[in-house]
C-alpha cells in the first residue's frame, strides 16, 4: 500500500547554500543505498522535502533497512498516495488508511492537512475538521487530542494526495559528502572500522589505508580488511582502500631500533605514510581507532609521540570509549563478527614483551636517526606498492 517515503532530516546547521549541498549529498547517498534494493525508485525534492517514490514493485522491509543506513536521515515516513478525486474519496481513503495501519483503535489522533497547491476547494482548517469528523464517525473508539495526539495523520495536498502518520527513526548524522574527506587507517581489528563509521556519520567521506606485511601477515588478513571496508561502505559509500606493503619498513625498524620502541616508531611511520597518501587524495584529516590507554602505544604519551609526525588533524572518535562501548557499536553496525576473525594484523609479529609506555619524543627521534640511511627510499618504495581496491557494499 505504501508507494513512497518522506525523508526527514535534521535541519540544524543546514542553512543557505549549505542546505542545498546537504540535500544534494543526501539524495546521492539515498541513491547509493537504493541501488541495492529490488525495485525502481525516483528521488524528488520539492519545497524543502525529499521523497523517495517507488516506480515499480519493491520490498518494503528491504527498502526501509537500506534507508536506515543513510546518514543525515532522521526519520523515514512511509507514504500512501491517492489521486485527487474529490473530498469524499479522500475521506474514504484516510479512513481505510487508519483501519489498515492501526489495528488497535483505542488511540488519540489529530489530522494535519497541508496544501502545497492552493487551488484545492477546502482550506487546511476545513480539511482538518471534516477529515477528523470522518475518522470519528468510522471509529468511535478513537479520540481527538489536538495537543499531544498519539497519532498525527498527515494529509498533503499535492498533485496527488499524500497520507502518512508513521516515522521510522533514521541513523541521524549528516550525509556523507557534506563534510569533506578523510583517510582512515584501517586494520583488521574491532576499533578502526567503528572509528570510520563514526566519522562518516558526521558527513565525512572515507578513504582508507591498510598496511600489509606479507609474509608475516597473510592474504586472509588482507581479505579481512577488504571485507571490513565493504561493511563500512554500507554506511559510508564506496571506500577507496589503499593497500601498502609495509614489510621492508617494519624489518628495517626492527633491525635498527630498540625493540621496546618498535611499535611506537612503526606507528609513526604508518601515520607519516598515511598522511602522504591522504594529501595526494584530497583528504583533510586522518582517522584512527585509538582510545586512551587501550594498549602501550595508546597511552597519552605514546599518542603525543605518534601525533607529532602529522600535520593534518587526526580524528580519533573512540578516544574516550571503553572497549565494551566500542564492541557495542561494532555489533550494531555489523563489523564485529568479521573483526574477531583470528587472522593476525601487522603489529602482532614483532611486538616487544615490554614496549615503552611513556616514550620520550627526543629519545625516539634520536633512535630514528638509525634509520637515516635507507628509510626515505623504503617509504618511497612502500608508496609505490599502493594497490587500490574499491570496496562497495552490494
Ligand atoms: P584496531 O582494533 O582498529 O586494530 P587496535 O586496538 O588493535 O585497533 P593498534 O593496533 O594499536 O590498536 O592500532 C591503532 C590504530 O592504528 C588502529 O585503530 C588503526 O587505525 C591503525 N592501524 C593499526 N594497524 C594498522 C594497519 N596494519 N593498517 C592500517 N592501520 C592500522
Ligand atoms: Mg589492531
Amino acid at each position: 500500500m505504501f508507494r513512497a517515503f518522506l525523508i526527514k532530516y535534521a535541519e540544524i546547521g543546514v542553512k543557505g547554500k549549505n542546505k542545498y549541498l546537504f540535500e544534494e549529498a543526501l539524495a546521492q547517498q539515498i541513491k547509493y543505498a537504493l541501488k541495492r534494493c529490488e525495485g525502481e525508485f525516483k528521488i524528488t525534492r520539492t519545497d524543502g522535502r525529499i521523497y523517495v517514490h517507488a516506480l515499480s514493485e519493491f520490498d518494503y522491509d528491504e527498502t526501509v533497512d537500506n534507508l536506515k543506513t543513510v546518514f543525515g536521515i532522521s526519520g523515514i515516513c512511509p507514504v500512501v498516495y491517492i489521486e485527487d478525486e474529490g473530498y469524499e474519496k479522500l475521506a474514504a481513503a484516510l479512513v481505510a488508511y487508519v483501519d489498515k495501519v492501526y489495528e488497535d483503535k483505542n488511540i488519540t489522533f489529530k489530522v494535519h492537512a497541508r496544501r502545497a497547491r492552493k487551488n484545492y476547494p477546502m482550506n487546511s482548517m476545513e480539511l482538518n475538521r471534516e477529515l477528523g469528523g470522518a475518522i470519528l464517525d468510522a471509529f468511535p473508539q478513537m479520540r481527538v487530542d489536538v495537543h499531544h495526539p498519539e497519532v498525527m495523520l498527515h494529509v498533503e495536498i499535492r498533485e496527488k494526495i499524500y497520507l502518512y502518520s508513521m516515522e521510522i527513526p533514521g541513523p541521524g548524522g549528516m550525509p556523507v559528502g557534506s563534510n569533506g574527506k578523510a583517510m582512515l587507517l584501517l586494520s583488521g581489528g574491532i576499533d578502526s572500522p567503528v572509528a570510520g563509521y563514526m566519522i562518516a556519520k558526521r558527513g565525512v567521506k572515507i578513504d582508507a589505508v591498510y598496511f600489509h606485511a606479507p609474509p608475516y601477515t597473510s592474504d586472509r588478513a588482507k581479505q579481512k580488511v577488504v571485507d571490513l571496508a565493504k561493511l563500512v561502505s554500507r554506511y559510508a559509500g564506496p571506500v577507496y582502500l589503499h593497500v601498502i606493503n609495509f614489510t621492508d619498513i617494519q624489518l628495517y625498524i626492527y633491525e635498527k631500533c630498540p625493540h621496546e620502541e618498535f611499535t611506537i616508531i612503526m606507528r609513526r611511520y604508518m601515520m607519516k605514510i598515511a598522511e602522504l597518501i591522504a594529501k595526494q587524495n584530497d583528504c583533510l584529516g586522518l582517522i584512527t581507532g585509538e582510545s586512551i590507554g587501550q594498549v602501550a602505544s595508546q597511552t597519552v604519551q605514546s599518542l603525543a609521540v605518534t601525533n607529532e609526525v602529522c600535520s593534518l588533524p587526526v580524528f580519533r572518535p573512540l578516544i574516550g570509549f571503553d572497549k565494551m562501548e566500542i564492541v557495542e557499536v561494532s555489533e550494531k553496525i555489523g563489523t564485529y563478527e568479521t573483526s574477531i576473525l583470528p587472522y593476525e594484523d601487522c603489529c602482532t609479529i614483532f611486538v616487544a614483551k615490554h614496549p615503552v609506555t611513556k616514550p620520550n619524543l627526543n629519545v625516539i627521534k634520536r633512535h630514528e636517526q638509525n634509520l637515516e640511511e635507507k628509510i626515505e627510499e623504503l617509504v618511497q618504495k612502500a608508496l609505490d606498492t599502493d594497490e587500490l581496491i574499491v570496496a562497495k557494499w552490494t
Side-chain angles (χ1 to χ4, degrees), residues 23 45-49 51 114 116 156 158:
E23 287 183 353
R45 285 192 272 158
T46 38
D47 30 75
R49 292 177 163 226
Y51 289 94
R114 181 166 172 260
E156 272 184 28
R158 299 180 171 273

Side-chain angles (χ1 to χ4, degrees), residues 31-93:
K31 226 184 243 171
Y32 174 75
L34 292 174
K35 257 197 231 153
R36 15 187 228 251
C37 299
E38 230 173 278
E40 235 187 290
F41 301 92
K42 190 174 84 177
I43 299 165
T44 60
R45 285 192 272 158
T46 38
D47 30 75
R49 292 177 163 226
I50 297 182
Y51 289 94
V52 170
H53 302 269
L55 301 178
S56 66
E57 289 303 306
F58 69 104
D59 182 328
Y60 175 85
D61 292 329
E62 178 192 53
T63 306
V64 169
D65 279 350
N66 279 289
L67 287 172
K68 279 185 183 171
T69 67
V70 180
F71 295 136
I73 295 183
S74 63
I76 304 157
C77 304
V79 175
V80 165
Y81 45 62
I82 56 171
E83 300 295 333
D84 178 8
E85 295 168 328
Y87 170 78
E88 293 305 325
K89 285 264 171 65
L90 167 57

Side-chain angles (χ1 to χ4, degrees), residues 184-193 209-212 267 270 287-290 294-295 297-298 323 345-347:
L184 169 66
L185 284 86
L186 183 60
S187 68
I190 295 170
D191 306 330
S192 43
V209 56
Y210 166 58
F211 296 98
H212 188 37
R267 302 238 358 102
M270 279 188 182
I287 306 163
T288 75
E290 291 161 310
Q294 205 186 74
V295 286
S297 59
Q298 296 175 24
K323 197 73 189 186
D345 67 27
C346 78
C347 350

